[in-house]
Each structure stands twice: as C-alpha cells, then as structure tokens.
Short mmCIF file of all heavy atoms in Angstrom, two decimals:
data_model
loop_
_atom_site.label_atom_id
_atom_site.label_comp_id
_atom_site.label_asym_id
_atom_site.label_seq_id
_atom_site.Cartn_x
_atom_site.Cartn_y
_atom_site.Cartn_z
N MET N 1 0.83 -1.19 0.00
CA MET N 1 0.00 0.00 0.00
C MET N 1 0.88 1.26 0.00
O MET N 1 1.84 1.35 0.75
CB MET N 1 -0.90 -0.01 1.25
CG MET N 1 -2.19 0.75 1.03
SD MET N 1 -3.36 0.49 2.39
CE MET N 1 -3.03 1.90 3.40
N ILE N 2 0.54 2.19 -0.81
CA ILE N 2 1.29 3.44 -0.89
C ILE N 2 0.88 4.35 0.28
O ILE N 2 -0.31 4.52 0.54
CB ILE N 2 1.04 4.17 -2.24
CG1 ILE N 2 1.46 3.26 -3.40
CG2 ILE N 2 1.78 5.50 -2.30
CD1 ILE N 2 0.86 3.64 -4.74
N LYS N 3 1.89 4.85 0.93
CA LYS N 3 1.62 5.72 2.07
C LYS N 3 1.28 7.13 1.59
O LYS N 3 2.07 7.77 0.93
CB LYS N 3 2.84 5.76 2.99
CG LYS N 3 2.47 5.46 4.44
CD LYS N 3 3.67 5.65 5.32
CE LYS N 3 3.23 5.86 6.77
NZ LYS N 3 4.34 6.16 7.64
N ASN N 4 0.11 7.55 1.90
CA ASN N 4 -0.31 8.90 1.55
C ASN N 4 -0.89 9.55 2.80
O ASN N 4 -1.93 9.17 3.29
CB ASN N 4 -1.34 8.84 0.42
CG ASN N 4 -1.69 10.23 -0.09
OD1 ASN N 4 -1.57 11.22 0.61
ND2 ASN N 4 -2.15 10.29 -1.32
N SER N 5 -0.17 10.55 3.30
CA SER N 5 -0.58 11.17 4.56
C SER N 5 -1.88 11.94 4.44
O SER N 5 -2.48 12.30 5.43
CB SER N 5 0.53 12.07 5.08
OG SER N 5 0.73 13.13 4.18
N LYS N 6 -2.31 12.19 3.22
CA LYS N 6 -3.56 12.91 3.03
C LYS N 6 -4.77 11.98 3.11
O LYS N 6 -5.89 12.43 3.22
CB LYS N 6 -3.57 13.63 1.67
CG LYS N 6 -2.78 14.92 1.71
CD LYS N 6 -2.86 15.61 0.38
CE LYS N 6 -2.09 16.93 0.42
NZ LYS N 6 -1.90 17.48 -0.91
N LEU N 7 -4.47 10.68 3.04
CA LEU N 7 -5.58 9.73 3.08
C LEU N 7 -5.62 8.97 4.40
O LEU N 7 -4.59 8.64 4.97
CB LEU N 7 -5.48 8.76 1.90
CG LEU N 7 -5.61 9.38 0.50
CD1 LEU N 7 -5.45 8.29 -0.55
CD2 LEU N 7 -6.94 10.10 0.32
N CYS N 8 -6.80 8.69 4.84
CA CYS N 8 -7.01 7.97 6.09
C CYS N 8 -6.58 6.51 5.94
O CYS N 8 -7.03 5.82 5.04
CB CYS N 8 -8.49 8.05 6.43
SG CYS N 8 -8.97 7.05 7.83
N PRO N 9 -5.68 6.03 6.81
CA PRO N 9 -5.25 4.64 6.72
C PRO N 9 -6.34 3.66 7.12
O PRO N 9 -6.24 2.46 6.83
CB PRO N 9 -4.05 4.56 7.67
CG PRO N 9 -4.21 5.71 8.60
CD PRO N 9 -5.00 6.76 7.88
N LEU N 10 -7.38 4.14 7.73
CA LEU N 10 -8.45 3.24 8.17
C LEU N 10 -9.49 3.01 7.09
O LEU N 10 -9.92 1.90 6.83
CB LEU N 10 -9.13 3.78 9.42
CG LEU N 10 -8.25 3.97 10.67
CD1 LEU N 10 -9.07 4.54 11.81
CD2 LEU N 10 -7.61 2.66 11.09
N CYS N 11 -9.89 4.10 6.43
CA CYS N 11 -10.98 3.95 5.46
C CYS N 11 -10.62 4.47 4.07
O CYS N 11 -11.38 4.30 3.13
CB CYS N 11 -12.23 4.65 5.98
SG CYS N 11 -12.13 6.45 5.93
N GLY N 12 -9.45 5.14 3.95
CA GLY N 12 -9.06 5.67 2.65
C GLY N 12 -9.69 7.01 2.32
O GLY N 12 -9.53 7.52 1.23
N GLY N 13 -10.40 7.56 3.27
CA GLY N 13 -11.04 8.86 3.07
C GLY N 13 -10.03 9.99 3.11
O GLY N 13 -8.89 9.82 3.54
N TYR N 14 -10.45 11.16 2.68
CA TYR N 14 -9.57 12.31 2.64
C TYR N 14 -9.50 12.98 4.01
O TYR N 14 -10.52 13.19 4.66
CB TYR N 14 -10.09 13.30 1.59
CG TYR N 14 -9.22 14.52 1.41
CD1 TYR N 14 -7.97 14.41 0.79
CD2 TYR N 14 -9.63 15.75 1.88
CE1 TYR N 14 -7.16 15.53 0.65
CE2 TYR N 14 -8.83 16.88 1.73
CZ TYR N 14 -7.60 16.76 1.12
OH TYR N 14 -6.80 17.86 0.98
N LYS N 15 -8.26 13.31 4.43
CA LYS N 15 -8.08 13.96 5.72
C LYS N 15 -8.04 15.47 5.56
O LYS N 15 -7.37 15.99 4.69
CB LYS N 15 -6.77 13.50 6.36
CG LYS N 15 -6.87 12.11 6.96
CD LYS N 15 -5.71 11.86 7.90
CE LYS N 15 -4.60 11.08 7.25
NZ LYS N 15 -3.44 10.88 8.10
N LYS N 16 -8.75 16.15 6.40
CA LYS N 16 -8.84 17.60 6.36
C LYS N 16 -8.23 18.19 7.62
O LYS N 16 -8.37 17.62 8.70
CB LYS N 16 -10.34 17.97 6.31
CG LYS N 16 -10.65 19.19 5.48
CD LYS N 16 -12.15 19.40 5.45
CE LYS N 16 -12.50 20.69 6.15
NZ LYS N 16 -13.89 20.81 6.54
N THR N 17 -7.54 19.32 7.48
CA THR N 17 -6.97 19.97 8.65
C THR N 17 -8.08 20.69 9.41
O THR N 17 -8.91 21.38 8.82
CB THR N 17 -5.88 20.98 8.23
OG1 THR N 17 -4.92 20.27 7.47
CG2 THR N 17 -5.19 21.58 9.44
N GLY N 18 -8.07 20.50 10.70
CA GLY N 18 -9.07 21.16 11.53
C GLY N 18 -8.63 21.18 12.97
O GLY N 18 -7.45 20.99 13.26
N THR N 19 -9.55 21.41 13.85
CA THR N 19 -9.22 21.38 15.27
C THR N 19 -10.16 20.43 16.00
O THR N 19 -11.27 20.17 15.56
CB THR N 19 -9.32 22.77 15.93
OG1 THR N 19 -10.64 23.27 15.73
CG2 THR N 19 -8.31 23.74 15.36
N THR N 20 -9.65 19.93 17.10
CA THR N 20 -10.43 18.98 17.87
C THR N 20 -10.28 19.30 19.36
O THR N 20 -9.50 20.16 19.74
CB THR N 20 -9.97 17.54 17.56
OG1 THR N 20 -10.84 16.63 18.22
CG2 THR N 20 -8.54 17.28 18.01
N THR N 21 -11.05 18.63 20.16
CA THR N 21 -10.93 18.77 21.61
C THR N 21 -10.35 17.47 22.14
O THR N 21 -10.85 16.38 21.85
CB THR N 21 -12.30 19.05 22.24
OG1 THR N 21 -12.80 20.26 21.70
CG2 THR N 21 -12.20 19.19 23.75
N TYR N 22 -9.28 17.61 22.90
CA TYR N 22 -8.59 16.46 23.46
C TYR N 22 -8.87 16.41 24.95
O TYR N 22 -8.77 17.42 25.63
CB TYR N 22 -7.10 16.62 23.18
CG TYR N 22 -6.20 15.58 23.80
CD1 TYR N 22 -5.94 14.39 23.13
CD2 TYR N 22 -5.59 15.81 25.02
CE1 TYR N 22 -5.11 13.44 23.69
CE2 TYR N 22 -4.75 14.87 25.59
CZ TYR N 22 -4.52 13.68 24.92
OH TYR N 22 -3.70 12.75 25.49
N SER N 23 -9.24 15.26 25.46
CA SER N 23 -9.46 15.19 26.91
C SER N 23 -8.82 13.95 27.50
O SER N 23 -8.76 12.90 26.87
CB SER N 23 -10.95 15.24 27.22
OG SER N 23 -11.58 14.10 26.73
N VAL N 24 -8.30 14.12 28.71
CA VAL N 24 -7.73 12.99 29.44
C VAL N 24 -8.30 12.98 30.85
O VAL N 24 -8.53 14.01 31.46
CB VAL N 24 -6.18 13.05 29.56
CG1 VAL N 24 -5.52 12.40 28.38
CG2 VAL N 24 -5.66 14.44 29.78
N ASP N 25 -8.50 11.78 31.33
CA ASP N 25 -9.03 11.58 32.65
C ASP N 25 -7.93 10.90 33.45
O ASP N 25 -7.62 9.74 33.21
CB ASP N 25 -10.27 10.67 32.51
CG ASP N 25 -11.06 10.60 33.80
OD1 ASP N 25 -10.49 10.85 34.88
OD2 ASP N 25 -12.26 10.26 33.72
N ILE N 26 -7.27 11.66 34.33
CA ILE N 26 -6.16 11.08 35.08
C ILE N 26 -6.40 11.20 36.58
O ILE N 26 -6.74 12.27 37.07
CB ILE N 26 -4.80 11.73 34.73
CG1 ILE N 26 -4.96 13.26 34.56
CG2 ILE N 26 -4.17 11.09 33.52
CD1 ILE N 26 -3.66 14.01 34.60
N GLU N 27 -6.18 10.12 37.26
CA GLU N 27 -6.35 10.06 38.72
C GLU N 27 -7.51 10.92 39.20
O GLU N 27 -8.65 10.55 39.03
CB GLU N 27 -5.03 10.45 39.42
CG GLU N 27 -3.91 9.47 39.14
CD GLU N 27 -2.58 10.15 38.91
OE1 GLU N 27 -2.27 11.07 39.68
OE2 GLU N 27 -1.85 9.76 37.98
N THR N 28 -7.20 12.13 39.70
CA THR N 28 -8.26 12.96 40.27
C THR N 28 -8.68 14.10 39.36
O THR N 28 -9.53 14.91 39.72
CB THR N 28 -7.79 13.55 41.62
OG1 THR N 28 -6.55 14.22 41.39
CG2 THR N 28 -7.59 12.46 42.66
N SER N 29 -8.08 14.22 38.19
CA SER N 29 -8.37 15.35 37.32
C SER N 29 -8.88 14.94 35.95
O SER N 29 -8.53 13.89 35.43
CB SER N 29 -7.11 16.18 37.09
OG SER N 29 -6.45 16.44 38.29
N ILE N 30 -9.67 15.85 35.40
CA ILE N 30 -10.06 15.72 33.99
C ILE N 30 -9.50 16.94 33.29
O ILE N 30 -9.75 18.07 33.71
CB ILE N 30 -11.59 15.63 33.82
CG1 ILE N 30 -12.11 14.33 34.46
CG2 ILE N 30 -11.96 15.67 32.34
CD1 ILE N 30 -13.63 14.28 34.57
N ILE N 31 -8.70 16.71 32.30
CA ILE N 31 -8.09 17.81 31.59
C ILE N 31 -8.63 17.85 30.17
O ILE N 31 -8.59 16.84 29.45
CB ILE N 31 -6.55 17.69 31.60
CG1 ILE N 31 -6.04 17.71 33.06
CG2 ILE N 31 -5.89 18.80 30.79
CD1 ILE N 31 -4.68 17.14 33.25
N VAL N 32 -9.13 19.01 29.80
CA VAL N 32 -9.71 19.17 28.48
C VAL N 32 -8.90 20.24 27.74
O VAL N 32 -8.72 21.34 28.25
CB VAL N 32 -11.20 19.59 28.57
CG1 VAL N 32 -11.80 19.78 27.18
CG2 VAL N 32 -12.01 18.57 29.37
N VAL N 33 -8.39 19.89 26.60
CA VAL N 33 -7.64 20.85 25.80
C VAL N 33 -8.42 21.11 24.53
O VAL N 33 -8.68 20.19 23.75
CB VAL N 33 -6.21 20.36 25.47
CG1 VAL N 33 -5.40 21.49 24.83
CG2 VAL N 33 -5.50 19.85 26.73
N ARG N 34 -8.80 22.35 24.35
CA ARG N 34 -9.59 22.71 23.18
C ARG N 34 -8.69 23.31 22.10
O ARG N 34 -7.59 23.72 22.35
CB ARG N 34 -10.68 23.72 23.56
CG ARG N 34 -11.55 23.21 24.69
CD ARG N 34 -12.66 24.16 24.95
NE ARG N 34 -13.60 24.14 23.83
CZ ARG N 34 -14.53 25.06 23.63
NH1 ARG N 34 -14.65 26.05 24.46
NH2 ARG N 34 -15.34 24.98 22.59
N ASN N 35 -9.23 23.35 20.90
CA ASN N 35 -8.53 23.99 19.79
C ASN N 35 -7.21 23.31 19.43
O ASN N 35 -6.22 23.96 19.13
CB ASN N 35 -8.32 25.47 20.12
CG ASN N 35 -8.20 26.31 18.88
OD1 ASN N 35 -8.76 25.99 17.83
ND2 ASN N 35 -7.43 27.38 18.96
N VAL N 36 -7.21 21.99 19.50
CA VAL N 36 -6.01 21.21 19.18
C VAL N 36 -5.99 20.95 17.68
O VAL N 36 -6.95 20.43 17.11
CB VAL N 36 -6.01 19.86 19.94
CG1 VAL N 36 -4.80 19.03 19.57
CG2 VAL N 36 -6.08 20.10 21.44
N LYS N 37 -4.88 21.31 17.04
CA LYS N 37 -4.76 21.10 15.61
C LYS N 37 -4.73 19.60 15.30
O LYS N 37 -4.01 18.84 15.91
CB LYS N 37 -3.47 21.73 15.09
CG LYS N 37 -3.67 23.13 14.56
CD LYS N 37 -2.46 23.60 13.76
CE LYS N 37 -1.34 24.05 14.67
NZ LYS N 37 -0.10 24.27 13.96
N ALA N 38 -5.50 19.20 14.34
CA ALA N 38 -5.55 17.79 13.99
C ALA N 38 -5.95 17.62 12.53
O ALA N 38 -6.46 18.53 11.90
CB ALA N 38 -6.57 17.07 14.87
N LYS N 39 -5.64 16.43 12.02
CA LYS N 39 -6.13 16.06 10.69
C LYS N 39 -7.33 15.15 10.95
O LYS N 39 -7.25 14.19 11.71
CB LYS N 39 -5.06 15.28 9.92
CG LYS N 39 -3.86 16.13 9.57
CD LYS N 39 -3.89 16.48 8.10
CE LYS N 39 -2.57 17.00 7.60
NZ LYS N 39 -2.57 18.44 7.41
N ILE N 40 -8.43 15.50 10.34
CA ILE N 40 -9.66 14.76 10.59
C ILE N 40 -10.15 14.14 9.29
O ILE N 40 -10.22 14.80 8.25
CB ILE N 40 -10.73 15.70 11.19
CG1 ILE N 40 -10.19 16.32 12.49
CG2 ILE N 40 -12.03 14.95 11.45
CD1 ILE N 40 -10.83 17.64 12.86
N CYS N 41 -10.46 12.86 9.37
CA CYS N 41 -10.94 12.15 8.18
C CYS N 41 -12.37 12.61 7.88
O CYS N 41 -13.23 12.62 8.75
CB CYS N 41 -10.92 10.65 8.42
SG CYS N 41 -11.59 9.72 7.04
N THR N 42 -12.59 13.00 6.64
CA THR N 42 -13.91 13.49 6.26
C THR N 42 -14.91 12.33 6.14
O THR N 42 -16.11 12.54 6.10
CB THR N 42 -13.86 14.25 4.92
OG1 THR N 42 -13.24 13.42 3.95
CG2 THR N 42 -13.09 15.55 5.04
N GLN N 43 -14.38 11.12 6.06
CA GLN N 43 -15.25 9.98 5.88
C GLN N 43 -15.63 9.29 7.19
O GLN N 43 -16.80 9.10 7.47
CB GLN N 43 -14.58 8.98 4.94
CG GLN N 43 -15.55 8.04 4.27
CD GLN N 43 -14.95 7.44 3.02
OE1 GLN N 43 -14.84 8.10 1.99
NE2 GLN N 43 -14.52 6.20 3.13
N CYS N 44 -14.62 8.92 8.00
CA CYS N 44 -14.94 8.18 9.23
C CYS N 44 -14.80 9.02 10.50
O CYS N 44 -15.18 8.58 11.57
CB CYS N 44 -14.10 6.91 9.33
SG CYS N 44 -12.35 7.19 9.67
N GLY N 45 -14.23 10.22 10.35
CA GLY N 45 -14.14 11.11 11.50
C GLY N 45 -12.97 10.84 12.43
O GLY N 45 -12.84 11.48 13.47
N GLU N 46 -12.11 9.90 12.07
CA GLU N 46 -10.92 9.62 12.88
C GLU N 46 -10.00 10.83 12.87
O GLU N 46 -9.90 11.53 11.87
CB GLU N 46 -10.21 8.38 12.29
CG GLU N 46 -9.06 7.85 13.11
CD GLU N 46 -9.46 7.24 14.45
OE1 GLU N 46 -10.54 6.64 14.53
OE2 GLU N 46 -8.68 7.38 15.39
N GLU N 47 -9.34 11.08 14.01
CA GLU N 47 -8.49 12.26 14.13
C GLU N 47 -7.03 11.87 14.35
O GLU N 47 -6.75 10.95 15.09
CB GLU N 47 -8.96 13.11 15.32
CG GLU N 47 -10.35 13.69 15.11
CD GLU N 47 -11.01 14.13 16.40
OE1 GLU N 47 -10.50 13.79 17.47
OE2 GLU N 47 -12.04 14.80 16.30
N TRP N 48 -6.14 12.61 13.72
CA TRP N 48 -4.71 12.40 13.93
C TRP N 48 -4.06 13.69 14.39
O TRP N 48 -4.29 14.75 13.81
CB TRP N 48 -4.03 11.94 12.64
CG TRP N 48 -4.32 10.53 12.32
CD1 TRP N 48 -3.57 9.43 12.70
CD2 TRP N 48 -5.42 10.01 11.59
NE1 TRP N 48 -4.18 8.29 12.25
CE2 TRP N 48 -5.30 8.61 11.57
CE3 TRP N 48 -6.51 10.59 10.97
CZ2 TRP N 48 -6.23 7.79 10.94
CZ3 TRP N 48 -7.43 9.78 10.34
CH2 TRP N 48 -7.28 8.40 10.33
N ILE N 49 -3.23 13.55 15.38
CA ILE N 49 -2.49 14.70 15.90
C ILE N 49 -1.02 14.47 15.58
O ILE N 49 -0.49 13.39 15.81
CB ILE N 49 -2.73 14.81 17.43
CG1 ILE N 49 -4.21 15.10 17.70
CG2 ILE N 49 -1.83 15.87 18.05
CD1 ILE N 49 -4.63 14.93 19.14
N ASP N 50 -0.36 15.49 14.99
CA ASP N 50 1.05 15.28 14.63
C ASP N 50 1.95 15.34 15.87
O ASP N 50 1.52 15.76 16.95
CB ASP N 50 1.50 16.23 13.52
CG ASP N 50 1.53 17.69 13.95
OD1 ASP N 50 1.70 17.96 15.16
OD2 ASP N 50 1.41 18.55 13.07
N ASN N 51 3.20 14.92 15.71
CA ASN N 51 4.13 14.80 16.83
C ASN N 51 4.36 16.11 17.57
O ASN N 51 4.43 16.14 18.79
CB ASN N 51 5.48 14.26 16.36
CG ASN N 51 5.37 12.79 15.97
OD1 ASN N 51 4.44 12.10 16.39
ND2 ASN N 51 6.30 12.33 15.16
N LYS N 52 4.47 17.20 16.79
CA LYS N 52 4.72 18.50 17.40
C LYS N 52 3.54 18.91 18.30
O LYS N 52 3.73 19.38 19.42
CB LYS N 52 4.92 19.54 16.28
CG LYS N 52 5.94 20.60 16.63
CD LYS N 52 6.08 21.58 15.48
CE LYS N 52 5.80 22.98 15.97
NZ LYS N 52 5.59 23.92 14.85
N THR N 53 2.37 18.72 17.79
CA THR N 53 1.16 19.05 18.56
C THR N 53 1.05 18.14 19.78
O THR N 53 0.70 18.58 20.87
CB THR N 53 -0.09 18.92 17.67
OG1 THR N 53 0.10 19.71 16.49
CG2 THR N 53 -1.34 19.39 18.37
N ALA N 54 1.39 16.86 19.59
CA ALA N 54 1.32 15.90 20.70
C ALA N 54 2.29 16.28 21.81
O ALA N 54 1.95 16.16 22.99
CB ALA N 54 1.62 14.49 20.19
N ASP N 55 3.47 16.77 21.45
CA ASP N 55 4.45 17.22 22.45
C ASP N 55 3.89 18.39 23.25
O ASP N 55 4.04 18.45 24.47
CB ASP N 55 5.76 17.65 21.78
CG ASP N 55 6.58 16.45 21.32
OD1 ASP N 55 6.22 15.32 21.68
OD2 ASP N 55 7.57 16.66 20.59
N GLY N 56 3.28 19.33 22.54
CA GLY N 56 2.67 20.48 23.18
C GLY N 56 1.56 20.06 24.13
O GLY N 56 1.46 20.57 25.24
N LEU N 57 0.77 19.11 23.69
CA LEU N 57 -0.32 18.59 24.51
C LEU N 57 0.20 17.97 25.79
O LEU N 57 -0.35 18.18 26.87
CB LEU N 57 -1.06 17.49 23.73
CG LEU N 57 -2.30 17.88 22.97
CD1 LEU N 57 -2.86 16.66 22.24
CD2 LEU N 57 -3.36 18.44 23.89
N GLU N 58 1.27 17.23 25.65
CA GLU N 58 1.87 16.55 26.79
C GLU N 58 2.28 17.56 27.87
O GLU N 58 2.06 17.34 29.06
CB GLU N 58 3.11 15.78 26.31
CG GLU N 58 3.27 14.42 26.96
CD GLU N 58 4.36 13.63 26.28
OE1 GLU N 58 4.07 12.98 25.25
OE2 GLU N 58 5.50 13.69 26.76
N LYS N 59 2.87 18.66 27.42
CA LYS N 59 3.30 19.71 28.36
C LYS N 59 2.11 20.35 29.04
O LYS N 59 2.12 20.61 30.24
CB LYS N 59 4.11 20.79 27.61
CG LYS N 59 5.51 20.34 27.30
CD LYS N 59 6.40 21.53 26.95
CE LYS N 59 7.73 21.05 26.37
NZ LYS N 59 7.68 20.98 24.89
N ILE N 60 1.07 20.64 28.26
CA ILE N 60 -0.14 21.25 28.81
C ILE N 60 -0.77 20.33 29.86
O ILE N 60 -1.14 20.76 30.95
CB ILE N 60 -1.15 21.56 27.67
CG1 ILE N 60 -0.62 22.72 26.82
CG2 ILE N 60 -2.53 21.88 28.24
CD1 ILE N 60 -1.40 22.93 25.53
N VAL N 61 -0.84 19.06 29.53
CA VAL N 61 -1.43 18.08 30.46
C VAL N 61 -0.59 17.98 31.74
O VAL N 61 -1.13 17.97 32.85
CB VAL N 61 -1.57 16.69 29.78
CG1 VAL N 61 -1.92 15.61 30.79
CG2 VAL N 61 -2.63 16.74 28.68
N GLU N 62 0.71 17.99 31.58
CA GLU N 62 1.62 17.90 32.73
C GLU N 62 1.45 19.11 33.65
O GLU N 62 1.33 18.97 34.87
CB GLU N 62 3.06 17.78 32.22
CG GLU N 62 4.09 17.44 33.29
CD GLU N 62 3.73 16.21 34.14
OE1 GLU N 62 3.25 15.20 33.57
OE2 GLU N 62 3.90 16.29 35.35
N ASP N 63 1.39 20.32 33.07
CA ASP N 63 1.20 21.54 33.85
C ASP N 63 -0.15 21.52 34.57
O ASP N 63 -0.25 21.89 35.73
CB ASP N 63 1.26 22.78 32.94
CG ASP N 63 2.69 23.09 32.51
OD1 ASP N 63 3.62 22.49 33.08
OD2 ASP N 63 2.86 23.93 31.60
N ALA N 64 -1.17 21.11 33.85
CA ALA N 64 -2.52 21.09 34.41
C ALA N 64 -2.60 20.08 35.55
O ALA N 64 -3.28 20.31 36.55
CB ALA N 64 -3.53 20.73 33.32
N ARG N 65 -1.88 19.00 35.43
CA ARG N 65 -1.88 17.94 36.43
C ARG N 65 -1.30 18.45 37.75
O ARG N 65 -1.78 18.09 38.82
CB ARG N 65 -1.06 16.76 35.92
CG ARG N 65 -1.46 15.44 36.51
CD ARG N 65 -1.03 14.34 35.60
NE ARG N 65 0.40 14.12 35.71
CZ ARG N 65 0.93 13.02 36.26
NH1 ARG N 65 0.15 12.09 36.74
NH2 ARG N 65 2.22 12.87 36.30
N LYS N 66 -0.29 19.28 37.64
CA LYS N 66 0.38 19.84 38.82
C LYS N 66 -0.55 20.74 39.63
O LYS N 66 -0.38 20.91 40.82
CB LYS N 66 1.63 20.63 38.41
CG LYS N 66 2.79 19.72 38.06
CD LYS N 66 3.97 20.54 37.55
CE LYS N 66 5.04 19.64 36.93
NZ LYS N 66 5.87 20.40 35.99
N LYS N 67 -1.52 21.35 38.94
CA LYS N 67 -2.46 22.24 39.63
C LYS N 67 -3.41 21.47 40.52
O LYS N 67 -4.04 22.06 41.39
CB LYS N 67 -3.27 23.03 38.60
CG LYS N 67 -2.46 24.06 37.85
CD LYS N 67 -3.40 24.86 36.96
CE LYS N 67 -2.65 25.74 35.99
NZ LYS N 67 -3.59 26.28 34.98
N LYS N 68 -3.56 20.21 40.25
CA LYS N 68 -4.43 19.32 41.04
C LYS N 68 -5.88 19.77 41.11
O LYS N 68 -6.59 19.46 42.06
CB LYS N 68 -3.88 19.13 42.45
CG LYS N 68 -2.58 18.33 42.48
CD LYS N 68 -2.27 17.90 43.92
CE LYS N 68 -1.24 16.80 43.98
NZ LYS N 68 0.11 17.18 43.73
N SER N 69 -6.32 20.54 40.14
CA SER N 69 -7.74 20.88 40.13
C SER N 69 -8.51 19.72 39.52
O SER N 69 -7.94 18.92 38.78
CB SER N 69 -7.98 22.18 39.37
OG SER N 69 -7.47 22.09 38.09
N GLN N 70 -9.78 19.66 39.82
CA GLN N 70 -10.56 18.51 39.34
C GLN N 70 -10.80 18.57 37.85
O GLN N 70 -10.75 17.56 37.16
CB GLN N 70 -11.88 18.44 40.09
CG GLN N 70 -11.65 18.11 41.55
CD GLN N 70 -12.86 17.47 42.18
OE1 GLN N 70 -13.96 17.47 41.63
NE2 GLN N 70 -12.68 16.92 43.35
N ILE N 71 -11.06 19.80 37.39
CA ILE N 71 -11.26 19.96 35.95
C ILE N 71 -10.47 21.15 35.45
O ILE N 71 -10.50 22.22 36.05
CB ILE N 71 -12.77 20.15 35.59
CG1 ILE N 71 -13.59 18.93 36.04
CG2 ILE N 71 -12.93 20.35 34.08
CD1 ILE N 71 -15.09 19.11 35.83
N GLU N 72 -9.74 20.95 34.39
CA GLU N 72 -9.01 22.04 33.76
C GLU N 72 -9.43 22.09 32.31
O GLU N 72 -9.41 21.08 31.62
CB GLU N 72 -7.50 21.74 33.80
CG GLU N 72 -6.78 22.17 35.07
CD GLU N 72 -6.63 23.67 35.21
OE1 GLU N 72 -6.16 24.32 34.27
OE2 GLU N 72 -6.99 24.18 36.28
N VAL N 73 -9.83 23.26 31.85
CA VAL N 73 -10.16 23.40 30.44
C VAL N 73 -9.22 24.45 29.86
O VAL N 73 -9.15 25.58 30.34
CB VAL N 73 -11.63 23.82 30.22
CG1 VAL N 73 -11.94 23.93 28.73
CG2 VAL N 73 -12.58 22.83 30.87
N ILE N 74 -8.44 24.03 28.90
CA ILE N 74 -7.40 24.90 28.36
C ILE N 74 -7.56 24.97 26.85
O ILE N 74 -7.86 23.95 26.21
CB ILE N 74 -5.99 24.32 28.69
CG1 ILE N 74 -5.87 24.03 30.20
CG2 ILE N 74 -4.88 25.26 28.27
CD1 ILE N 74 -5.14 22.75 30.51
N ALA N 75 -7.33 26.15 26.29
CA ALA N 75 -7.32 26.24 24.83
C ALA N 75 -5.89 26.23 24.37
O ALA N 75 -5.02 26.88 24.98
CB ALA N 75 -8.01 27.51 24.39
N MET N 76 -5.59 25.48 23.34
CA MET N 76 -4.21 25.37 22.88
C MET N 76 -3.83 26.58 22.05
O MET N 76 -4.65 27.13 21.34
CB MET N 76 -4.05 24.12 22.03
CG MET N 76 -2.64 23.62 22.06
SD MET N 76 -2.56 21.98 21.33
CE MET N 76 -0.81 21.67 21.58
ZN1 ZN V 1 -11.23 7.49 7.71
#
C-alpha cells in the first residue's frame, strides 16, 4: 500500500486539517484541551495529531496535572 498522509489509513477517506478537543481523565483530574490542531478524516471522523502538537499537549497536560484541580479546560 502506498503511504499517503492525506488519506485515512483506516478507510481511505480524505483527511482535512481542523481542530479537535482532546481530553484525558487522570487520577483525580479531567483535563480538556480545546482547539487542538488535527487532521480529521472526512469519511470516518478519525483524528490524527502530529508529533509536534502531541508534544505540546503533553506539556499542557503535565502543567494542568500539577495544579491538582478537578477539571481544567485549556485552549491550545
Ligand atoms: Zn477514515
């Protein structure tokens, strides 16, 4: 199979750049990150986040975790 980053590996649909909401539920906190850049499949709705964005997310989640609040909602 030819690797084409514009096509969804799950269904072969076309991926569109957009934003999504990422949420994690850890121990005592729920962290919600809004406005996360992602590629979204127009056919099945699957979302992909690139490495750079994922690194940024990791830092946001780590900072939010330190605050120990029950819910954190952050826009990226
Ligand atoms: Zn798809």
Side-chain angles (χ1 to χ4, degrees):
M1 207 170 96
I2 301 161
K3 231 186 159 185
N4 186 335
S5 64
K6 280 182 179 168
L7 296 178
C8 173
L10 300 179
C11 73
Y14 182 72
K15 284 196 262 177
K16 214 177 115 198
T17 304
T19 58
T20 186
T21 300
Y22 174 87
S23 66
V24 272
D25 191 337
I26 40 164
E27 296 139 44
T28 54
S29 312
I30 294 169
I31 299 160
V32 180
V33 189
R34 305 185 69 194
N35 205 29
V36 178
K37 266 193 281 170
K39 293 255 195 256
I40 303 155
C41 177
T42 53
Q43 202 160 285
C44 71
E46 187 68 34
E47 295 161 348
W48 285 269
I49 296 167
D50 67 26
N51 290 339
K52 215 180 123 194
T53 306
D55 285 350
L57 264 179
E58 220 170 275
K59 284 197 191 93
I60 289 169
V61 169
E62 190 51 42
D63 286 348
R65 206 157 76 111
K66 283 176 192 157
K67 290 185 190 169
K68 291 194 164 75
S69 56
Q70 293 204 347
I71 300 175
E72 274 289 309
V73 181
I74 308 140
M76 206 169 182

